[in-house]
Amino acid sequence: MKELLRSTDPTIIAFASALLEGEDIDCFQMDVNMSVLEGGIGIFPRRLMVRAEDYDDAVVVMRDNEIPLGR
């Protein structure tokens, strides 16, 4: 798996996940449970992972929808 996106904003992660699922690209959110450790203040970013073979297609989806990848 490759990291596609890293953000402290859960709405961006949710939107990106929905877009990827709409394109039949499987994704997995990592670090979701870190909010328990941080107390819900949003300092630890969540990561959105995709399979290596889907990475290039996922980047195109993110760019088409103007979601910054931080690169």
Side-chain angles (χ1 to χ4, degrees):
M1 297 200 87
K2 290 182 76 171
E3 181 180 317
L4 175 67
L5 174 64
R6 183 182 296 226
S7 177
T8 57
D9 186 347
T11 60
I12 290 176
I13 298 290
F15 182 52
S17 296
L19 289 171
L20 293 171
E21 289 172 10
E23 296 290 330
D24 292 326
I25 298 173
D26 293 327
C27 62
F28 181 75
Q29 294 184 32
M30 296 185 74
D31 306 321
V32 175
N33 294 324
M34 288 299 285
S35 62
V36 172
L37 297 174
E38 70 180 25
I41 58 176
I43 58 171
F44 292 115
R46 295 180 183 184
R47 295 177 289 161
L48 189 62
M49 310 294 283
V50 296
R51 290 182 295 176
E53 57 268 16
D54 292 333
Y55 181 79
D56 291 333
D57 293 334
V59 168
V60 170
V61 172
M62 296 298 104
R63 287 191 181 144
D64 287 349
N65 289 279
E66 299 179 358
I67 296 176
L69 298 177
R71 293 180 177 84

